[in-house]
Amino acid sequence: MTTPSATAPPAGADDAPDTGTDTGTPKARRSLSARIAARAGGGVMRVVLVLVALFWLMPTIGLLLSSLRSPDRIAATGWWKVFTVPSQLTFDNYSRLLHNSTITDSLFSTIMITVPSTVLVVVIGSLAGYAFAWMEFPGRDWWFLVVVGLLVVPVQVALIPVSKLFGTVGIFETTFGVIIFHTAFGLPFAIFLLRNFFAEIPRELLEAARLDGAGEIRLFTRVVMPLGGPAIASLGIFQFLWVWNDMLVALIFADSGSPPITVALQQQVRQFGNNIDVLAPGAFVSMVIPLAVFFAFQRQFVSGVMAGAVK
């Protein structure tokens, strides 16, 4: 007695149509599209992204090369001529910039405004964000709605009334007045951002710390602050960039004798021409500092922005 082989094809297998070589089927078309998409997402897409990045950085590159050329060459030809005549590059503009007391004093004034404004917003915003997230007090939700409502108030609306208020209390056209203005308008966003981030901290973690005898201050400094590092770093970068690059508030409230770098560069613009040998290196220096701050905290910034995006 013989038994059928285990490898024998089932009955009717020869009758089944062979569609593996039919390239006109939807399955084959999908495979071709998938291969094209995979190739486009590889080397071709990388080349496209590099070209877009170079196009985006072209003004910055032009500003850098212009700051390394003499004023007469800037007036005669474009900055791209550097690639054909690289010998025209010189650091004389930066040497004159360092001996320009107006620009150097303005950089110092900008630092004196930006650093306190950033620190105050981060510290006060962290404390308020923790209070709104984990502390119970009367009217907490209503006060938070007021903070959210302040996010939509534009800076331009407050310029005239705040100018009158600062003039009354005697802090108009002072560095302290500019710091207070930037701090006040930076706090709503800081509180909103940090409150939402702190609220995502597991309640069990905070309760365990309280059972171990941790008070509110110790709980904030030892548990909440380390966990909120990415969000705090993101807030600090946002605030630093906003204050450093601000010109409107500085133009109105800053001391005219020691203006920030944005106002000082604007004052270098002449009626019938530009002081390009000062504007180009000054603008590049004022741009490099916030870029250095951003890249120094880039990892924390990305973590803070992506926090809460995935579970």
Side-chain angles (χ1 to χ4, degrees):
M1 180 177 180
T2 60
T3 59
S5 175
T7 60
D14 296 334
D15 299 333
D18 185 9
T19 59
T21 59
D22 186 5
T23 59
T25 62
K27 182 178 180 181
R29 287 197 296 269
R30 286 195 299 269
S31 300
L32 179 61
S33 302
R35 290 196 298 269
I36 294 176
R39 292 183 179 180
V44 176
M45 184 58 64
R46 292 177 183 176
V47 173
V48 172
L49 292 177
V50 169
L51 293 177
V52 171
L54 291 176
F55 181 78
W56 186 267
L57 292 175
M58 190 173 298
T60 304
I61 298 173
L63 179 63
L64 172 62
L65 296 179
S66 296
S67 66
L68 296 174
R69 305 175 70 209
S70 60
D72 54 342
R73 289 185 178 272
I74 295 176
T77 58
W79 57 267
W80 51 88
K81 294 295 184 180
V82 170
F83 297 104
T84 58
V85 189
S87 60
Q88 60 183 279
L89 296 178
T90 178
F91 288 95
D92 293 341
N93 292 339
Y94 286 93
S95 177
R96 287 192 294 268
L97 182 71
L98 295 177
H99 293 85
N100 190 326
S101 59
T102 301
I103 301 299
T104 54
D105 292 345
S106 66
L107 283 173
F108 179 76
S109 300
T110 306
I111 295 174
M112 293 299 296
I113 292 173
T114 305
V115 174
S117 300
T118 303
V119 172
L120 287 174
V121 167
V122 169
V123 173
I124 300 175
S126 301
L127 293 172
Y130 172 75
F132 279 114
W134 294 109
M135 296 181 67
E136 297 289 342
F137 56 89
R140 183 186 68 173
D141 295 336
W142 289 104
W143 281 112
F144 184 70
L145 289 177
V146 172
V147 171
V148 174
L150 291 175
L151 288 172
V152 302
V153 178
V155 175
Q156 293 81 359
V157 173
L159 292 177
I160 295 178
V162 173
S163 299
K164 294 180 179 179
L165 176 62
F166 283 6
T168 303
V169 298
I171 59 174
F172 186 73
E173 288 193 351
T174 62
T175 301
F176 180 73
V178 181
I179 294 174
I180 293 298
F181 190 96
H182 283 303
T183 302
F185 274 86
L187 279 176
F189 175 74
I191 297 172
F192 175 78
L193 174 67
L194 296 181
R195 183 265 180 191
N196 293 335
F197 189 89
F198 292 160
E200 297 295 328
I201 298 176
R203 182 181 294 272
E204 294 78 8
L205 183 62
L206 301 180
E207 291 177 352
R210 289 192 178 97
L211 290 176
D212 290 339
E216 295 296 338
I217 297 179
R218 188 174 182 180
L219 188 65
F220 175 75
T221 56
R222 298 294 181 87
V223 179
V224 176
M225 288 292 286
L227 293 176
I232 294 173
S234 301
L235 173 63
I237 291 174
F238 276 125
Q239 180 70 10
F240 186 92
L241 295 179
W242 177 50
V243 178
W244 184 276
N245 295 320
D246 171 74
M247 180 177 177
L248 178 62
V249 177
L251 190 63
I252 297 175
F253 294 98
D255 186 5
S256 58
S258 56
I261 184 64
T262 53
V263 179
L265 291 176
Q266 186 272 338
Q267 293 175 350
Q268 296 294 324
V269 179
R270 301 167 181 170
Q271 183 176 4
F272 299 104
N274 295 332
N275 195 3
I276 192 63
D277 57 327
V278 176
L279 285 175
F284 187 78
V285 169
S286 66
M287 182 178 61
V288 165
I289 295 177
L291 280 178
V293 173
F294 174 80
F295 285 114
F297 298 96
Q298 181 183 11
R299 181 174 301 177
Q300 291 81 359
F301 176 78
V302 174
S303 300
V305 171
M306 297 299 296
V310 294
K311 295 294 184 182

